[in-house]
Amino acid sequence: MNKDDPPGLSPETAAQRLREDGPNELGVSQRRTLLDMAWDVVREPMFLLLMGAGSIYLAMGDAHEAMILLGFVVIIMAVTVLQERRTDNALEALRDLSSPRALVLRGGETLRIPGREVVRDDVLLLAEGDRVPADGDLLQAHELATDESMLTGESEAVAKQLPEGRVFAGTMVVSGQGMVRVTATGRHTELGRIGQSLQSIELQASPLREEMARLTRRLVVIGVVLCVLLSGLFWMLRGGWLEAVLAGITLAMGILPQELPVIMIVFLALAARRLALQQVLTRRLNAIETLGQTTVLCVDKTGTLTQNRMAVAVLCVGEQTLDARELPPDSLPEPFHELLEYAVLASEIDPHDPMEQAFHLLARRQLENTEHLHPQWTLAREYELSPALLAMSHLWQGRETPHDVVAAKGAPEAVADLCHLSAEQLAQVTAQAVTMADRGLRVLGVAKAGHREGHDWPDIQHDFDFEWVGLVGLADPLRPEVPEAVSQCRRAGIRVVMITGDHPRTAAAIAAQAGIETTGVVTGDELAAMDPDTLGQRVTAVNVFARVKPHQKLALVEALKSQGEVVAMTGDGVNDAPALKAAHIGIAMGQRGTDVAREAASLVLLQDNFSSIVGAIHRGRRTFANLRQAMVYTLAVHVPIIGLALLPVLFGLPLVLAPLHIAFLELVIDPACSLVFEAEEGDGDLMERPPRRTSEPLLSISHVGLSLLQGGLATAAVVGLYAGLLSQGLDAGMASTAAFVVLVSANAVLILPSRSSQMRWKTLLSGLTSTSVWVLIGTLLALAAVTNLPPVARAFGFAVLAPGHWLAALAAGCSLLLLYQVSKVLMARAMRHWATA
């Protein structure tokens, strides 16, 4: 912040304005109300069937049964709505995190705050890539231009100049910098009057969601057809059309997989919330699904693999080289004063770039008491870095100088080109730069020039008569956790590709330290000369790309995708946005990234740390694995329910299940799926497996076969026990009670082998979460209540069993655990044999 800048609002005034005017939001709520959620639940087929069954009981004169069933409808609706609210809360928190950030002046300090906390009369600092958070008037502008297409429909950038310039909420800064005083926020902005919403995090179409929808539709059709057939069969065999309809409804309720879509969105939303706790913001929920398929991870070097804590390590002037890291204050030898002086002059006055901050820090320590610092000079013109010339220049004016002073810094080869060095000089500079780069240092060249006052400034840097000053080497240490994270990626079958703007030798040195294996280094100039076929071949073997310009990242992404790779790409600048959008998973740097990069990305790293990306990939794999196990379990537990609804009708036995019992079972199945499986840690070797193929379905033939086999075992046990008890002359009420105890206990213990795809017996109980324990305990307590408490048992149509008989039925159901695990092992062996046959 400069001393002439306004101090901005005091924190107390800003807080008071926020209370008075409310948050800087458009007032277009994306949050569903409880009434909306309840209405969505009521329209679900399962609840329509429950309501239909209750109505039939009333028509039959059984008001007591009808009221109990309708009570279950209310309970299930409440559980479902609470689950939906839990999901909405997770998504709402993500929307808050993903709202545009704002850089403001408050109380004389520069603060980064959420865009929703901007208030009237705040002083905003805008830079290229920022999303403007509110309407305001310009106080300062330097080559400022904004994209106002979302307001005007015109795609051409609009230049902003003093004194009448204004900026508008929702527009994007495409170039330059500016300072703005806020005049309107929220609904009072131009965008607020239009009523558009800027933020949306939702579950978009995806292969996984489409697969789930197909499975649900098929099961609904099967359920409806079997419902009609069973109702007709019941009426023909036994008469009584109301009872026939009830039997059909019971079967349909057993088949309908109303849990499937709920499970999926709960898993993804809660995974996004867990990622947020790991400092990874999910902007698109479908990215979690894709994370487990990632085969190539493209990352920046600076700040992602390295700590982004630049320090000047080496200074080189002529043939003299100096290690600058351990210098005491005011001890810099005189020959290096000019190099550090012009490095500072070629930097911003109040820099945010770590390299420029390193120059200023060293200059304050070494040049404070010399004539080489010029705080009284005025920055008159900036020449920006461009893809065509990797160098930037500043033109300064001072009263004591006979001419304007120009300072340049940039890639050594670019600055050498500005200086028109001789072949001998260029060879010497190149050799020095290579030596420094081989040490993993980031190397910059520095040059100086003069310009006569009163003459027009040149339009391009090449028109100055530059003189070479020297080289600066900056050290940016590798993050200590990176080598292990790269090794973990390798074990997981994920290639790590480093893309950097640094010197090729610097890139190669850092890659070697990180453990990134490569057959060579490809430069941006070499990329530009390649045709698509050649590039496609090179990206399969090369893992390090140096001197890459931002727009070339898009070509790399497309080349990798053309080779069948699933690409995750990191980026932080405006020019990275196309590559972030083109990648299967775009990952924006939250700390140093621009708003436009964040909005183009699927994930945002709130801490620019490579290990966070690896952690996100692990979370994606874990979520998919847990979702798959939940689906296998869900299908398996529906099989005995269908069997108990269908087989007694076919064999002329008394019915076991009524809609009321199905409602109870739904209260057991839903928490098991959404709580137990979502909380599972997953198999320990998740990051030792290759990435999931894009063609791999959520449920393969083996998974469906395992569900049917395990469900068939439970069906055989329950129906066999029920038929056996009836054949021995046991009362139908007691036999159905015993069958229900076996059914619920068998479904409960099926959770244990279903938690993991591992075949080892010790995995049955190892790593059991507290959630699993409480769900199992709660299920058994609920079962005991509905079968042993006389008032409750009568309401369910059960006869109270003797304690010994009840425990025997419970033990029979629990004993199926051994058969479940054996069936899991046998199915795995059968599938391996089938695959190799």
Side-chain angles (χ1 to χ4, degrees):
M1 176 178 170
N2 297 327
K3 61 178 185 226
D4 296 330
D5 291 341
L9 297 176
S10 68
E12 296 76 18
T13 303
Q16 179 65 28
R17 292 272 172 88
L18 187 60
R19 287 192 294 270
E20 292 173 354
D21 298 346
N24 179 33
E25 296 173 334
L26 297 181
V28 181
S29 177
Q30 297 179 347
R31 191 182 182 91
R32 292 185 301 163
T33 65
L34 287 174
L35 189 61
D36 293 333
M37 293 180 189
W39 177 242
D40 288 343
V41 170
V42 167
R43 291 183 296 171
E44 288 288 331
M46 176 63 69
F47 295 97
L48 294 176
L49 288 171
L50 283 169
M51 296 294 289
S55 302
I56 291 174
Y57 278 122
L58 283 175
M60 295 170 63
D62 193 346
H64 186 255
E65 186 90 4
M67 294 309 296
I68 294 176
L69 185 60
L70 294 177
F72 265 106
V73 170
V74 173
I75 294 173
I76 295 176
M77 183 182 296
V79 170
T80 306
V81 168
L82 288 175
Q83 198 160 252
E84 294 263 342
R85 173 53 65 93
R86 187 183 182 200
T87 300
D88 270 22
N89 286 340
L91 295 182
E92 192 70 20
L94 295 179
R95 290 190 188 104
D96 291 342
L97 283 171
S98 63
S99 65
R101 305 158 301 161
L103 195 63
V104 300
L105 294 177
R106 287 193 179 166
E109 294 185 4
T110 303
L111 302 175
R112 178 75 70 178
I113 64 172
R116 67 191 305 273
E117 295 180 10
V118 171
V119 298
R120 282 182 299 109
D121 292 326
D122 255 333
V123 176
L124 302 175
L125 301 177
L126 300 177
E128 181 179 335
D130 286 349
R131 177 76 72 182
V132 180
D135 291 1
D137 295 329
L138 279 183
L139 300 178
Q140 297 177 17
H142 179 72
E143 299 180 357
L144 183 66
T146 61
D147 176 1
E148 299 182 353
S149 57
M150 70 181 307
L151 291 174
T152 65
E154 299 293 333
S155 59
E156 188 173 345
V158 179
K160 300 294 181 178
Q161 298 176 341
L162 295 170
E164 302 296 331
R166 294 197 70 207
V167 296
F168 301 99
T171 59
M172 184 69 70
V173 178
V174 295
S175 65
Q177 301 89 36
M179 182 182 290
V180 173
R181 188 179 300 280
V182 174
T183 58
T185 61
R187 288 172 293 178
H188 304 291
T189 62
E190 290 296 322
L191 183 62
R193 296 189 184 98
I194 296 173
Q196 294 182 4
S197 176
L198 290 177
Q199 294 299 331
S200 175
I201 297 181
E202 57 188 17
L203 196 63
Q204 298 130 342
S206 71
L208 186 59
R209 198 174 182 213
E210 290 168 357
E211 180 185 349
M212 192 79 71
R214 286 194 301 270
L215 177 61
T216 303
R217 285 194 299 267
R218 289 169 184 166
L219 291 175
V220 167
V221 171
I222 293 171
V224 171
V225 171
L226 289 181
C227 172
V228 173
L229 292 176
L230 184 66
S231 297
L233 181 64
F234 187 101
W235 180 72
M236 287 189 296
L237 295 176
R238 305 189 185 189
W241 69 271
L242 286 177
E243 292 84 351
V245 172
L246 272 178
I249 287 176
T250 302
L251 178 60
M253 289 173 62
I255 294 175
L256 283 180
Q258 61 97 17
E259 306 94 346
L260 298 187
V262 175
I263 292 169
M264 178 170 176
I265 192 167
V266 167
F267 269 55
L268 293 182
L270 294 184
R273 191 172 71 175
R274 293 180 192 276
L275 279 174
L277 295 177
Q278 295 175 218
Q279 302 298 299
V280 180
L281 168 63
T282 308
R283 288 186 51 83
R284 295 176 181 85
L285 288 181
N286 293 334
I288 298 172
E289 170 191 339
T290 314
L291 277 168
Q293 301 173 329
T294 302
T295 59
V296 175
L297 179 55
C298 299
V299 296
D300 291 322
K301 177 185 76 67
T302 304
T304 306
L305 297 177
T306 62
Q307 298 178 21
N308 203 23
R309 294 177 182 172
M310 291 286 187
V312 177
V314 175
L315 299 174
C316 181
V317 175
E319 296 183 357
Q320 299 183 66
T321 300
L322 176 73
D323 190 325
R325 281 174 286 200
E326 304 296 333
L327 284 176
D330 300 319
S331 63
L332 183 69
E334 181 64 34
F336 299 95
H337 283 198
E338 185 181 54
L339 175 58
L340 186 55
E341 173 188 8
Y342 278 90
V344 171
L345 289 174
S347 304
E348 297 295 333
I349 298 172
D350 184 18
H352 296 285
D353 182 85
M355 291 187 297
E356 297 185 347
Q357 290 175 340
F359 295 149
H360 278 263
L361 178 63
L362 185 62
R364 285 194 297 270
R365 285 173 54 86
Q366 301 297 337
L367 302 181
E368 192 72 50
N369 301 316
T370 71
E371 73 283 2
H372 293 285
L373 294 182
H374 312 285
Q376 71 280 11
W377 285 9
T378 302
L379 180 59
R381 174 83 185 257
E382 290 186 59
Y383 294 86
E384 301 290 342
L385 191 81
S386 70
L389 181 65
L390 298 178
M392 60 181 295
S393 299
H394 284 174
L395 186 147
W396 296 86
Q397 292 180 323
R399 292 181 180 177
E400 72 277 16
T401 58
H403 53 75
D404 297 337
V405 175
V406 185
K409 66 174 171 59
E413 62 271 24
V415 177
D417 185 40
L418 289 175
C419 297
H420 306 292
L421 297 181
S422 66
E424 183 180 348
Q425 291 172 315
L426 181 59
Q428 180 185 7
V429 166
T430 301
Q432 291 169 335
V434 165
T435 301
M436 295 165 70
D438 282 342
R439 296 169 55 185
L441 301 178
R442 185 161 192 175
V443 187
L444 295 180
V446 179
K448 65 178 182 178
H451 183 74
R452 293 175 57 189
E453 294 185 4
H455 289 69
D456 292 338
W457 296 325
D459 292 327
I460 59 174
Q461 299 178 71
H462 270 290
D463 289 344
F464 289 110
D465 187 14
F466 278 108
E467 178 184 342
W468 180 263
V469 177
L471 292 169
V472 182
L474 297 110
D476 184 11
L478 195 73
R479 291 183 182 272
E481 68 275 8
V482 163
E484 173 55 31
V486 170
S487 175
Q488 192 175 13
C489 284
R490 190 182 304 112
R491 294 194 301 271
I494 302 169
R495 279 176 60 205
V496 179
V497 175
M498 186 176 80
I499 302 173
T500 179
D502 276 352
H503 192 282
R505 289 181 177 265
T506 303
I510 294 296
Q513 293 174 28
I516 299 174
E517 299 174 353
T518 184
T519 57
V521 179
V522 173
T523 66
D525 290 340
E526 292 170 342
L527 283 177
M530 291 181 188
D531 59 64
D533 291 338
T534 304
L535 178 57
Q537 294 172 3
R538 292 291 283 157
V539 295
T540 60
V542 177
N543 292 333
V544 179
F545 296 86
R547 285 286 188 253
V548 173
K549 301 173 179 64
H551 69 273
Q552 290 178 317
K553 290 185 178 182
L554 177 59
L556 285 172
V557 169
E558 295 294 355
L560 287 165
K561 287 169 64 178
S562 71
Q563 301 302 307
E565 306 283 7
V566 177
V567 183
M569 163 72 88
T570 66
D572 57 8
V574 175
N575 292 328
D576 292 335
L580 292 176
K581 276 198 169 184
H584 295 96
I585 304 174
I587 304 171
M589 301 293 106
Q591 290 180 316
R592 69 179 191 273
T594 60
D595 283 340
V596 68
R598 288 160 57 95
E599 291 173 10
S602 304
L603 302 175
V604 179
L605 299 187
L606 302 181
Q607 290 184 346
D608 300 347
N609 190 331
F610 178 74
S611 62
S612 297
I613 305 174
V614 180
I617 292 174
H618 179 266
R619 173 67 60 180
R621 291 189 175 192
R622 170 183 160 182
T623 299
F624 185 87
N626 288 348
L627 181 59
R628 170 177 280 168
Q629 295 306 121
M631 294 302 168
V632 171
Y633 172 80
T634 301
L635 291 181
V637 298
H638 274 268
V639 173
I641 296 173
I642 295 168
L644 277 180
L646 180 62
L647 294 178
V649 176
L650 296 179
F651 294 113
L653 302 176
L655 297 183
V656 178
L657 296 180
L660 179 62
H661 305 130
I662 302 293
F664 174 84
L665 291 169
E666 290 295 335
L667 285 176
V668 174
I669 295 171
D670 277 354
C673 294
S674 59
L675 296 178
V676 173
F677 290 97
E678 194 280 328
E680 284 296 317
E681 289 297 325
D683 297 336
D685 64 346
L686 278 176
M687 292 298 284
E688 308 290 331
R689 305 173 187 171
R692 192 177 78 253
R693 299 187 308 275
T694 54
S695 59
E696 183 179 341
L698 176 63
L699 294 177
S700 65
I701 295 175
S702 63
H703 296 122
V704 175
L706 179 61
S707 293
L708 295 177
L709 178 57
Q710 292 177 330
L713 290 172
T715 304
V718 175
V719 175
L721 175 72
Y722 179 59
L725 292 175
L726 288 176
S727 68
Q728 294 176 11
L730 193 67
D731 176 71
M734 298 188 71
S736 65
T737 303
F740 191 77
V741 171
V742 174
L743 173 65
V744 174
S745 57
N747 283 350
V749 297
L750 180 57
I751 290 174
L752 297 176
S754 298
R755 291 166 46 240
S756 168
S757 62
Q758 296 288 334
M759 303 299 158
R760 296 189 298 272
W761 287 89
K762 66 179 182 181
T763 61
L764 284 176
L765 296 176
S766 65
L768 199 64
T769 64
S770 59
T771 304
S772 301
V773 173
W774 281 112
V775 166
L776 289 170
I777 292 173
T779 299
L780 295 179
L781 289 177
L783 175 62
V786 300
T787 55
N788 288 318
L789 297 178
V792 182
R794 282 195 300 272
F796 275 82
F798 292 140
V800 177
L801 298 175
H805 292 164
W806 190 89
L807 290 174
L810 180 68
C814 292
S815 67
L816 287 175
L817 175 62
L818 299 177
L819 292 178
Y820 289 151
Q821 185 69 3
V822 169
S823 67
K824 187 174 167 183
V825 173
L826 292 177
M827 178 61 72
R829 289 179 180 173
M831 293 308 298
R832 283 198 297 269
H833 177 74
W834 180 75
T836 56

